[in-house]
Amino acid sequence: MNLNRQRSFLWSLLPSVLLRRRFRFYLGDGEKKSHIEIGEVGEKMARRHLKNLGRKILYKNYRGPKGGELDIVARDGDVLTFVEVKTRKRREESRPLDAVTLEKQDLIERGARAWLALLPHNDFQWRFDVVEVILEEGKKPHICVVSDAF
């Protein structure tokens, strides 16, 4: 098995344990995880956390035909939620939520409109949530769900 396939396989096993383990920015061979890999880990952690809260994950990484994007589409009871995940490598002065600018909100809203257009009816409640994932070397991840974020 080549190294990339092996990494992909190992990453597929991690979502259930990622929430309990201390995070490492380095792979077993000493190579540092890329920004993309860290973001993917954050999204996996967010999905696992939402599942642990009783949410049903319906879709991940939806891209609308007109440029809208959604990290996670989930059901929270009878409410459809469009979830943006923001992962940061350490605690900073600003929250990850602060990175969901008006421009980003517009992209998420376009994605939500495209998703809703796919449904035969949309006479139900829906909202926008943000999951903040903070990763620090050697520490357990900190995850915060901000419901009805915007």
Side-chain angles (χ1 to χ4, degrees):
M1 185 181 303
N2 72 29
L3 184 58
N4 286 336
R5 281 187 70 198
Q6 184 179 14
R7 277 189 195 155
S8 180
F9 171 73
L10 291 174
W11 282 106
S12 71
L13 298 176
L14 290 177
S16 61
V17 298
L18 282 176
L19 300 178
R20 298 187 311 261
R21 288 206 173 157
R22 297 180 189 285
F23 187 77
R24 299 282 180 232
F25 289 106
Y26 294 90
L27 301 169
D29 59 3
E31 184 181 342
K32 190 172 184 178
K33 292 176 186 164
S34 72
H35 177 72
I36 300 297
E37 288 174 312
I38 290 170
E40 289 172 355
V41 169
E43 287 189 18
K44 287 179 183 181
M45 288 178 177
R47 287 192 305 271
R48 175 57 60 193
H49 186 72
L50 291 171
K51 284 180 185 178
N52 289 347
L53 293 175
R55 296 199 191 179
K56 168 93 170 141
I57 305 301
L58 303 175
Y59 205 88
K60 63 180 185 172
N61 297 319
Y62 175 76
R63 300 296 178 247
K66 296 181 181 178
E69 59 183 52
L70 302 168
D71 290 337
I72 301 170
V73 179
R75 195 177 72 229
D76 183 12
D78 292 336
V79 179
L80 184 66
T81 60
F82 301 105
V83 183
E84 174 68 10
V85 179
K86 286 297 177 191
T87 304
R88 294 294 178 263
K89 291 195 268 185
R90 63 189 166 284
R91 293 185 191 274
E92 299 173 351
E93 288 185 24
S94 64
R95 295 180 64 177
L97 176 64
D98 296 335
V100 185
T101 62
L102 291 175
E103 292 170 0
K104 185 65 176 173
Q105 290 176 24
D106 182 54
L107 279 175
I108 297 165
E109 289 172 3
R110 266 191 274 160
R113 284 191 299 272
W115 177 270
L116 291 168
L118 297 172
L119 303 176
H121 62 84
N122 56 12
D123 57 343
F124 47 82
Q125 291 182 338
W126 50 274
R127 69 173 187 252
F128 298 103
D129 294 350
V130 173
V131 176
E132 300 175 307
V133 180
I134 299 173
L135 304 173
E136 295 184 75
E137 180 69 34
K139 296 183 179 181
K140 292 181 181 180
H142 175 77
I143 302 173
C144 177
V145 178
V146 181
S147 295
D148 204 14
F150 58 94

